[in-house]
Amino acid sequence: MTNANLKALSDAGVSIWLDDLSRQRITSGNLAQLISEKEVVGVTSNPTIFANALSNAADYNEKVRELAARGAGVDDTVRELTTADVRDAADVFRDVYDRTGGVDGRVSLEVDPRLAHETDKTVAEA
């Protein structure tokens, strides 16, 4: 889709979200570029996207080694890494959030799908 088409959608009130998040996208400046050039106003992620990011990037290696040395299990490691990426992405979207009064500029992450049939635990996790 061209920048003009994305701009027209945005001008029509469509919030353009990216369904992909990784540390590399954040640290390389690509996320900021998508915000400024492609009208992206939010990003979402899920366990599959993070699994792909983790398996295909050395950006996480140092932190994974650090967490392993501290004895962190898989769930704690995943939580630490995903939380850091979501927090850092939210920082990149801060201007969008402020400019839109919080309507846009958000970063979402699915609740652990293993809690799908446990309402109370899902609410607590969210």
Side-chain angles (χ1 to χ4, degrees):
M1 191 166 270
T2 69
N3 290 358
N5 290 342
L6 291 169
K7 176 80 170 118
L9 284 170
S10 180
D11 289 347
V14 174
S15 291
I16 300 168
W17 279 52
L18 178 67
D19 188 26
D20 183 36
L21 182 61
S22 68
R23 178 141 317 147
Q24 209 283 327
R25 187 175 293 284
I26 297 164
T27 60
S28 71
N30 176 259
L31 184 58
Q33 181 180 11
L34 291 172
I35 293 167
S36 67
E37 296 177 9
K38 301 290 187 181
E39 306 291 327
V40 171
V41 296
V43 66
T44 186
S45 193
N46 61 49
T48 301
I49 290 169
F50 267 113
N52 186 47
L54 288 167
S55 67
N56 292 318
D59 298 332
Y60 298 95
N61 291 348
E62 182 179 334
K63 188 66 173 178
V64 169
R65 281 192 290 274
E66 175 190 315
L67 291 165
R70 291 193 333 220
V74 172
D75 286 346
D76 289 337
T77 298
V78 169
R79 178 182 295 277
E80 176 86 19
L81 297 174
T82 56
T83 300
D85 282 1
V86 168
R87 181 184 55 245
D88 292 346
D91 289 344
V92 176
F93 278 104
R94 182 58 195 238
D95 289 342
V96 173
Y97 182 88
D98 291 343
R99 184 179 73 245
T100 64
V103 172
D104 286 315
R106 297 174 181 268
V107 181
S108 82
L109 176 65
E110 288 181 7
V111 174
D112 186 334
R114 294 174 292 185
L115 303 176
H117 301 288
E118 300 182 52
T119 303
D120 292 340
K121 288 183 181 178
T122 297
V123 171
E125 178 76 10

